[in-house]
Short mmCIF file of all heavy atoms in Angstrom, two decimals:
data_model
loop_
_atom_site.label_atom_id
_atom_site.label_comp_id
_atom_site.label_asym_id
_atom_site.label_seq_id
_atom_site.Cartn_x
_atom_site.Cartn_y
_atom_site.Cartn_z
N ASN A 92 10.47 12.37 20.60
CA ASN A 92 10.38 12.98 21.92
C ASN A 92 10.29 11.86 22.95
O ASN A 92 9.36 11.06 22.92
CB ASN A 92 9.15 13.89 22.00
CG ASN A 92 9.04 14.62 23.31
OD1 ASN A 92 9.63 14.25 24.32
ND2 ASN A 92 8.26 15.69 23.31
N VAL A 93 11.24 11.80 23.85
CA VAL A 93 11.31 10.73 24.84
C VAL A 93 10.10 10.74 25.77
O VAL A 93 9.77 9.72 26.36
CB VAL A 93 12.64 10.81 25.63
CG1 VAL A 93 12.64 11.97 26.61
CG2 VAL A 93 12.94 9.51 26.32
N ASP A 94 9.40 11.86 25.86
CA ASP A 94 8.25 11.97 26.75
C ASP A 94 6.93 11.62 26.08
O ASP A 94 5.88 11.70 26.70
CB ASP A 94 8.16 13.40 27.32
CG ASP A 94 9.38 13.74 28.17
OD1 ASP A 94 9.88 12.84 28.87
OD2 ASP A 94 9.83 14.89 28.10
N GLU A 95 6.97 11.27 24.80
CA GLU A 95 5.75 10.94 24.07
C GLU A 95 5.88 9.59 23.38
O GLU A 95 6.98 9.14 23.08
CB GLU A 95 5.46 11.99 22.99
CG GLU A 95 5.14 13.36 23.52
CD GLU A 95 4.84 14.35 22.40
OE1 GLU A 95 4.89 13.97 21.20
OE2 GLU A 95 4.56 15.51 22.72
N ASP A 96 4.74 8.97 23.14
CA ASP A 96 4.74 7.75 22.34
C ASP A 96 5.26 8.07 20.94
O ASP A 96 5.03 9.17 20.42
CB ASP A 96 3.34 7.17 22.22
CG ASP A 96 2.89 6.44 23.48
OD1 ASP A 96 3.71 6.26 24.41
OD2 ASP A 96 1.71 6.05 23.53
N ILE A 97 5.94 7.11 20.35
CA ILE A 97 6.42 7.25 18.98
C ILE A 97 5.48 6.45 18.08
O ILE A 97 5.20 5.28 18.36
CB ILE A 97 7.87 6.74 18.85
CG1 ILE A 97 8.80 7.64 19.65
CG2 ILE A 97 8.29 6.66 17.39
CD1 ILE A 97 10.21 7.12 19.74
N TRP A 98 5.01 7.08 17.04
CA TRP A 98 4.11 6.44 16.08
C TRP A 98 4.80 6.37 14.73
O TRP A 98 5.14 7.40 14.14
CB TRP A 98 2.82 7.25 15.96
CG TRP A 98 2.00 7.23 17.21
CD1 TRP A 98 2.14 8.03 18.31
CD2 TRP A 98 0.92 6.36 17.48
NE1 TRP A 98 1.21 7.69 19.25
CE2 TRP A 98 0.45 6.67 18.78
CE3 TRP A 98 0.31 5.32 16.77
CZ2 TRP A 98 -0.61 6.00 19.37
CZ3 TRP A 98 -0.76 4.65 17.36
CH2 TRP A 98 -1.21 4.99 18.63
N LEU A 99 5.02 5.15 14.24
CA LEU A 99 5.64 4.91 12.94
C LEU A 99 4.60 4.26 12.04
O LEU A 99 4.14 3.15 12.32
CB LEU A 99 6.87 4.01 13.10
CG LEU A 99 7.95 4.54 14.05
CD1 LEU A 99 9.02 3.48 14.28
CD2 LEU A 99 8.56 5.82 13.51
N VAL A 100 4.23 4.95 10.98
CA VAL A 100 3.14 4.51 10.10
C VAL A 100 3.71 4.02 8.78
O VAL A 100 4.50 4.72 8.14
CB VAL A 100 2.14 5.67 9.86
CG1 VAL A 100 0.97 5.20 9.00
CG2 VAL A 100 1.64 6.25 11.18
N PHE A 101 3.27 2.83 8.38
CA PHE A 101 3.72 2.20 7.13
C PHE A 101 2.50 1.84 6.29
O PHE A 101 1.46 1.43 6.82
CB PHE A 101 4.50 0.92 7.43
CG PHE A 101 5.76 1.15 8.20
CD1 PHE A 101 5.74 1.28 9.58
CD2 PHE A 101 6.98 1.27 7.55
CE1 PHE A 101 6.90 1.50 10.31
CE2 PHE A 101 8.16 1.50 8.27
CZ PHE A 101 8.11 1.61 9.65
N GLY A 102 2.65 1.93 4.98
CA GLY A 102 1.56 1.59 4.07
C GLY A 102 1.65 0.16 3.59
O GLY A 102 2.57 -0.58 3.92
N LYS A 103 0.67 -0.20 2.79
CA LYS A 103 0.63 -1.57 2.28
C LYS A 103 1.75 -1.82 1.28
O LYS A 103 2.29 -0.89 0.67
CB LYS A 103 -0.73 -1.90 1.69
CG LYS A 103 -1.16 -1.08 0.51
CD LYS A 103 -2.48 -1.64 0.00
CE LYS A 103 -3.44 -0.60 -0.45
NZ LYS A 103 -4.72 -1.18 -0.81
N GLU A 104 2.08 -3.08 1.13
CA GLU A 104 3.25 -3.48 0.34
C GLU A 104 3.18 -3.02 -1.11
O GLU A 104 4.20 -2.63 -1.68
CB GLU A 104 3.41 -5.01 0.38
CG GLU A 104 3.83 -5.54 1.72
CD GLU A 104 2.70 -5.91 2.65
OE1 GLU A 104 1.55 -5.42 2.48
OE2 GLU A 104 2.93 -6.69 3.58
N THR A 105 2.02 -3.05 -1.73
CA THR A 105 1.93 -2.75 -3.16
C THR A 105 1.80 -1.27 -3.49
O THR A 105 2.06 -0.86 -4.62
CB THR A 105 0.74 -3.49 -3.81
OG1 THR A 105 -0.45 -3.12 -3.11
CG2 THR A 105 0.94 -4.99 -3.76
N LYS A 106 1.40 -0.46 -2.51
CA LYS A 106 1.10 0.94 -2.81
C LYS A 106 1.73 1.94 -1.85
O LYS A 106 1.82 3.12 -2.18
CB LYS A 106 -0.42 1.14 -2.75
CG LYS A 106 -1.05 1.55 -4.03
CD LYS A 106 -2.54 1.58 -3.91
CE LYS A 106 -3.02 2.89 -3.32
NZ LYS A 106 -4.45 3.09 -3.40
N GLY A 107 2.09 1.52 -0.69
CA GLY A 107 2.58 2.47 0.30
C GLY A 107 1.43 3.25 0.92
O GLY A 107 0.28 2.80 0.91
N LEU A 108 1.74 4.43 1.40
CA LEU A 108 0.74 5.29 2.03
C LEU A 108 0.10 6.21 1.00
O LEU A 108 0.74 6.59 0.01
CB LEU A 108 1.39 6.13 3.14
CG LEU A 108 1.87 5.33 4.35
CD1 LEU A 108 2.78 6.18 5.23
CD2 LEU A 108 0.68 4.80 5.14
N ASP A 109 -1.12 6.59 1.26
CA ASP A 109 -1.86 7.49 0.39
C ASP A 109 -1.13 8.84 0.27
O ASP A 109 -0.70 9.41 1.27
CB ASP A 109 -3.27 7.69 0.98
CG ASP A 109 -4.12 8.56 0.10
OD1 ASP A 109 -4.55 8.09 -0.97
OD2 ASP A 109 -4.35 9.74 0.49
N GLU A 110 -0.99 9.33 -0.95
CA GLU A 110 -0.25 10.58 -1.17
C GLU A 110 -0.90 11.78 -0.52
O GLU A 110 -0.22 12.73 -0.12
CB GLU A 110 -0.02 10.82 -2.66
CG GLU A 110 1.13 10.02 -3.17
CD GLU A 110 1.91 10.70 -4.29
OE1 GLU A 110 1.65 11.88 -4.60
OE2 GLU A 110 2.80 10.04 -4.83
N GLU A 111 -2.21 11.79 -0.38
CA GLU A 111 -2.87 12.91 0.29
C GLU A 111 -2.45 12.95 1.77
O GLU A 111 -2.15 14.02 2.31
CB GLU A 111 -4.39 12.79 0.18
CG GLU A 111 -5.12 13.96 0.81
CD GLU A 111 -6.63 13.88 0.64
OE1 GLU A 111 -7.12 13.04 -0.13
OE2 GLU A 111 -7.31 14.67 1.30
N LEU A 112 -2.37 11.79 2.39
CA LEU A 112 -1.90 11.70 3.78
C LEU A 112 -0.46 12.19 3.87
O LEU A 112 -0.11 12.95 4.78
CB LEU A 112 -2.00 10.25 4.27
CG LEU A 112 -1.50 9.96 5.67
CD1 LEU A 112 -2.37 10.66 6.72
CD2 LEU A 112 -1.48 8.45 5.91
N LEU A 113 0.38 11.78 2.93
CA LEU A 113 1.77 12.21 2.92
C LEU A 113 1.87 13.72 2.72
O LEU A 113 2.62 14.41 3.41
CB LEU A 113 2.56 11.48 1.84
CG LEU A 113 2.66 9.96 1.98
CD1 LEU A 113 3.41 9.37 0.80
CD2 LEU A 113 3.28 9.56 3.30
N HIS A 114 1.10 14.24 1.78
CA HIS A 114 1.10 15.68 1.49
C HIS A 114 0.71 16.48 2.73
O HIS A 114 1.34 17.48 3.08
CB HIS A 114 0.14 15.99 0.33
CG HIS A 114 0.02 17.44 0.05
ND1 HIS A 114 -0.95 18.23 0.63
CD2 HIS A 114 0.77 18.27 -0.73
CE1 HIS A 114 -0.81 19.48 0.22
NE2 HIS A 114 0.22 19.52 -0.62
N ASP A 115 -0.33 16.03 3.42
CA ASP A 115 -0.83 16.74 4.60
C ASP A 115 0.14 16.67 5.79
O ASP A 115 0.01 17.46 6.73
CB ASP A 115 -2.19 16.19 5.02
CG ASP A 115 -3.28 16.49 4.00
OD1 ASP A 115 -3.05 17.33 3.10
OD2 ASP A 115 -4.35 15.86 4.10
N ASN A 116 1.08 15.74 5.74
CA ASN A 116 2.02 15.53 6.86
C ASN A 116 3.46 15.47 6.36
O ASN A 116 4.29 14.78 6.94
CB ASN A 116 1.66 14.24 7.59
CG ASN A 116 0.28 14.29 8.18
OD1 ASN A 116 0.07 14.91 9.21
ND2 ASN A 116 -0.68 13.67 7.52
N TYR A 117 3.77 16.20 5.29
CA TYR A 117 5.04 16.01 4.60
C TYR A 117 6.27 16.28 5.47
O TYR A 117 7.30 15.65 5.30
CB TYR A 117 5.09 16.87 3.33
CG TYR A 117 6.12 16.37 2.35
CD1 TYR A 117 6.10 15.05 1.91
CD2 TYR A 117 7.11 17.20 1.88
CE1 TYR A 117 7.05 14.57 1.02
CE2 TYR A 117 8.07 16.74 0.99
CZ TYR A 117 8.03 15.43 0.57
OH TYR A 117 8.98 14.95 -0.30
N GLU A 118 6.17 17.18 6.42
CA GLU A 118 7.31 17.45 7.31
C GLU A 118 7.60 16.27 8.23
O GLU A 118 8.68 16.20 8.81
CB GLU A 118 7.07 18.72 8.13
CG GLU A 118 7.26 19.99 7.35
CD GLU A 118 8.66 20.13 6.75
OE1 GLU A 118 9.65 19.87 7.45
OE2 GLU A 118 8.75 20.49 5.57
N ARG A 119 6.68 15.34 8.35
CA ARG A 119 6.86 14.18 9.23
C ARG A 119 7.03 12.89 8.42
O ARG A 119 6.89 11.80 8.95
CB ARG A 119 5.70 14.08 10.21
CG ARG A 119 5.72 15.32 11.16
CD ARG A 119 4.74 15.26 12.25
NE ARG A 119 4.99 14.23 13.24
CZ ARG A 119 5.75 14.38 14.33
NH1 ARG A 119 6.39 15.50 14.54
NH2 ARG A 119 5.87 13.39 15.19
N CYS A 120 7.34 13.04 7.14
CA CYS A 120 7.61 11.88 6.28
C CYS A 120 9.10 11.55 6.35
O CYS A 120 9.94 12.42 6.11
CB CYS A 120 7.20 12.16 4.84
SG CYS A 120 5.42 12.27 4.61
#
Side-chain angles (χ1 to χ4, degrees):
N92 184 341
V93 73
D94 297 324
E95 294 181 0
D96 283 353
I97 294 172
W98 293 84
L99 302 172
V100 182
F101 296 83
K103 62 175 142 185
E104 291 91 339
T105 57
K106 243 174 84 169
L108 292 166
D109 182 73
E110 280 213 7
E111 183 177 349
L112 177 66
L113 298 177
H114 176 268
D115 292 347
N116 299 282
Y117 200 55
E118 284 302 314
R119 295 187 67 88
C120 290

